[in-house]
Amino acid sequence: MLDITFETFRNKLQPGENEEWRIKIAGKNGDKVAAEMVATLYDASLDAFAKNNWNFNIYESYNSNFKMEFRW
């Protein structure tokens, strides 16, 4: 299990303002671990043009379109 902590985070920014996110990722005993992360920044003002409909699920779907056919 990983311990993920935001060291810096703001949920609102002014137009043109720069932002840097700092995130600390450690193992369960505080030890250093190798990890990868994906992040996104969303601009709610764009909802005036088109409503955000981005579905993001952190749990992978293992549904398959594999079709099996048996012949006797």
Side-chain angles (χ1 to χ4, degrees), residues 39-51:
T40 186
L41 180 65
Y42 172 69
D43 187 343
S45 67
L46 297 176
D47 283 348
F49 301 103
K51 186 72 177 158

Side-chain angles (χ1 to χ4, degrees), residues 31-42:
D31 50 333
K32 291 183 180 181
V33 294
E36 295 183 13
M37 182 174 168
V38 175
T40 186
L41 180 65
Y42 172 69

